[in-house]
Amino acid sequence: MQIEVTSEPVRAPWTTDEFWAGTRADLFSSTGMHPDAYTSPAFFDDEQTSVFERAWVCVGLAADAAPGRVLVRNVGSRSVLISQDGDGELRAFYNSCRHRGTELYECDADVGTTLRCPYHRWGYNLDGSLKSTPRFEEVPRESFDKADYGLVPVRVEAWGVLLFVCLSDETMPLLDWLGDLPERMASHGLENWTPRHSQTVDIKANWKLISENFQEYYHLGWVHPELAKVSRVEDHYRFQGPGMYCGQTTTPVSGDERDDWLTLPPADGLDESDAVSSRFAAIFPNVLLSVLPNHVFVLHLEPVEAGLTRETCSWVLPPSGIDAPDEAFEPTRTFWLDVNDEDIDIVERGQRGLTRGAVPPGPLAPRFEEPLHRFQRMLADFMTAASPADVPVPGGDDGSVESRLGAGENPSPALLDR
Ligand code: FES
Ligand SMILES: [Fe+2]
């Protein structure tokens, strides 16, 4: 008897339409994603390649980059160096020597004017060009031109307080990615704000659970009873224009019961609405911005494994607040740490349930979870697109004062596409 052996390659479930059916459905019949999206190591690996190696990925704060300094950042499965050349221009390169490929730097370092390989000491200028190759030409090669062996560049840009890298040349420019967010936050002048403090925590949850938790205020009253006093459920609005982000706003940020948010001086030049609001934006894929009148709280997410994320929390202050004494800054820092600890507890619990529960995806709440639907569609688009050039920028509300300033109907399903 002859046994027929078939060698059909096994397709991962997330390459099929069925996997994304609940995500592609309209909001009112949508579901969340399959638990594999949060728990499967194979999904994680594909996501690193399809999303993180093709998106504009946040790699930290714009202020991290400085002349004479090199930053080392993971982007998907790659390692990238970021420097500022003599003219102050940002540069980024793969962290790999052009001689025999050795990793150039293990961690951030002061480098002066030369990036140096530890192996045979090839040296590169901060613009990536090769400048020295010790003893290499003691016996000359037939043709060797240093100009052919500069570090391999990748795209790097700063916006506001953030630093971004993109490994694909086919992905849209950063400003198209951000959509109308720069315009919505123009009155803050974020490019002039300065980091006051950063700290890092490892969270036993998938990076998407942390972002999704940030995007919805459905959990506010139960998970954050303290926060709900200053950021009341009924004061939350949609804050969503076109762009690769999910936005909401709290207007007004009340100081009635706790004044932790008001101990630092507000930024100068805020418009009437910005002066009394907090703007929240989850910029796809991995950075969460809370922009208040007197500080920005940044959560930068670095996926480590399917169930593990390194989160860097940073507090960035406007010029008016940067010299504020520690007594004025401390309430703001501890307030966010208290809120964040509550979020960490619940997302770790979410991860455990998804890992061990084996339940199918559940329905999303249209009033509260429309941003998750938007976010999960962006993820689906990246996971399934042949090229990042095929990924569309999701649309948003019009530029009317009501929709831009969060003064419109609340909740705003009228603005949603039914
Ligand atoms: S591998 Fe870098 S100098 Fe040889
Ligand atoms: Fe929360």
Side-chain angles (χ1 to χ4, degrees):
M1 190 178 80
Q2 213 174 0
I3 298 172
E4 208 174 300
V5 178
T6 57
S7 57
E8 280 273 301
V10 180
R11 287 178 70 202
W14 43 92
T15 61
T16 66
D17 289 342
E18 196 190 339
F19 187 88
W20 300 106
T23 303
R24 299 280 191 212
D26 74 44
L27 173 64
F28 301 90
S29 49
S30 63
T31 67
M33 296 188 291
H34 189 280
D36 280 356
Y38 304 91
T39 62
S40 155
F43 185 99
F44 181 86
D45 290 345
D46 284 356
E47 186 182 69
Q48 289 288 287
T49 310
S50 298
V51 180
F52 281 82
E53 293 177 24
R54 306 198 295 178
W56 279 99
V57 172
C58 178
V59 292
L61 299 177
D64 295 343
R69 187 136 181 93
V70 69
L71 310 177
V72 183
R73 296 290 182 269
N74 296 324
V75 180
S77 63
R78 310 292 178 175
S79 176
V80 169
L81 299 179
I82 300 157
S83 68
Q84 260 187 336
D85 70 15
D87 300 331
E89 191 175 336
L90 281 170
R91 306 277 190 161
F93 316 97
Y94 285 107
N95 185 8
S96 185
C97 179
R98 288 300 308 279
H99 175 217
R100 278 169 47 208
T102 301
E103 176 185 83
L104 293 165
Y105 288 89
E106 290 179 317
C107 58
D108 296 2
D110 291 319
V111 294
T113 57
T114 309
L115 299 165
R116 184 83 66 189
C117 180
Y119 205 169
H120 314 100
R121 307 298 286 175
W122 281 24
Y124 301 87
N125 292 304
L126 295 183
D127 66 4
S129 55
L130 178 60
K131 71 171 169 188
S132 57
T133 55
R135 306 194 62 167
F136 186 73
E137 288 171 285
E138 286 183 1
V139 176
R141 290 171 55 90
E142 268 173 27
S143 67
F144 173 69
D145 185 350
K146 286 195 184 79
D148 295 335
Y149 295 98
L151 297 176
V152 178
V154 299
R155 299 165 80 188
V156 57
E157 297 233 21
W159 169 70
V161 302
L162 302 174
L163 188 60
F164 294 89
V165 160
C166 178
L167 299 187
S168 169
D169 291 333
E170 293 173 43
T171 304
M172 67 193 86
L174 178 65
L175 281 179
D176 293 352
W177 185 272
L178 296 171
D180 72 346
L181 206 52
E183 189 190 324
R184 281 172 181 257
M185 298 193 174
S187 104
H188 290 85
L190 294 176
E191 58 284 352
N192 299 318
W193 294 33
T194 319
R196 173 66 176 246
H197 176 72
S198 292
Q199 59 192 79
T200 296
V201 57
D202 282 351
I203 301 177
K204 294 193 201 81
N206 186 268
W207 68 275
K208 297 186 292 298
L209 282 187
I210 302 166
S211 179
E212 289 170 359
N213 175 69
F214 175 90
Q215 294 162 29
E216 55 93 349
Y217 57 97
Y218 192 11
H219 68 277
L220 194 59
W222 302 292
V223 174
H224 308 296
E226 283 297 310
L227 176 63
K229 290 179 188 168
V230 284
S231 178
R232 303 181 312 162
V233 169
E234 57 269 41
D235 293 331
H236 280 65
Y237 299 85
R238 212 171 128 84
F239 188 67
Q240 187 66 70
M244 301 291 288
Y245 74 93
C246 302
Q248 54 175 299
T249 180
T250 311
T251 305
V253 178
S254 152
D256 288 353
E257 304 211 21
R258 284 183 64 153
D259 62 358
D260 310 51
W261 280 352
L262 304 176
T263 54
L264 290 166
D268 296 325
L270 296 180
D271 70 28
E272 210 179 308
S273 176
D274 287 337
V276 294
S277 305
S278 40
R279 315 299 195 192
F280 302 99
I283 303 175
F284 187 84
N286 71 326
V287 62
L288 314 174
L289 275 187
S290 301
V291 181
L292 282 90
N294 56 6
H295 70 277
V296 181
F297 180 60
V298 183
L299 293 174
H300 166 219
L301 309 179
E302 194 184 324
V304 180
E305 296 169 4
L308 184 63
T309 304
R310 186 151 303 145
E311 179 184 83
T312 302
C313 317
S314 301
W315 291 256
V316 187
L317 305 185
S320 59
I322 200 63
D323 293 326
D326 284 347
E327 307 84 80
F329 172 61
E330 199 52 22
T332 299
R333 189 181 78 90
T334 49
F335 182 83
W336 279 115
L337 289 179
D338 291 347
V339 172
N340 205 38
D341 282 348
E342 292 165 349
D343 281 322
I344 290 171
D345 279 350
I346 204 70
V347 297
E348 290 189 339
R349 201 162 172 156
Q351 185 73 23
R352 293 199 297 275
L354 288 164
T355 304
R356 302 195 279 205
V359 293
L364 295 175
R367 168 169 175 182
F368 297 105
E369 294 177 317
E370 186 267 343
L372 278 69
H373 186 237
R374 180 183 179 91
F375 171 81
Q376 293 173 5
R377 283 185 165 196
M378 288 188 252
L379 188 89
D381 289 345
F382 263 94
M383 290 296 284
T384 55
S387 159
D390 300 337
V391 172
V393 176
D397 302 335
D398 60 37
S400 68
V401 173
E402 289 76 14
S403 77
R404 257 192 346 99
L405 303 185
E409 198 182 339
N410 181 19
S412 53
L415 296 168
L416 307 180
D417 198 20
R418 181 145 210 172

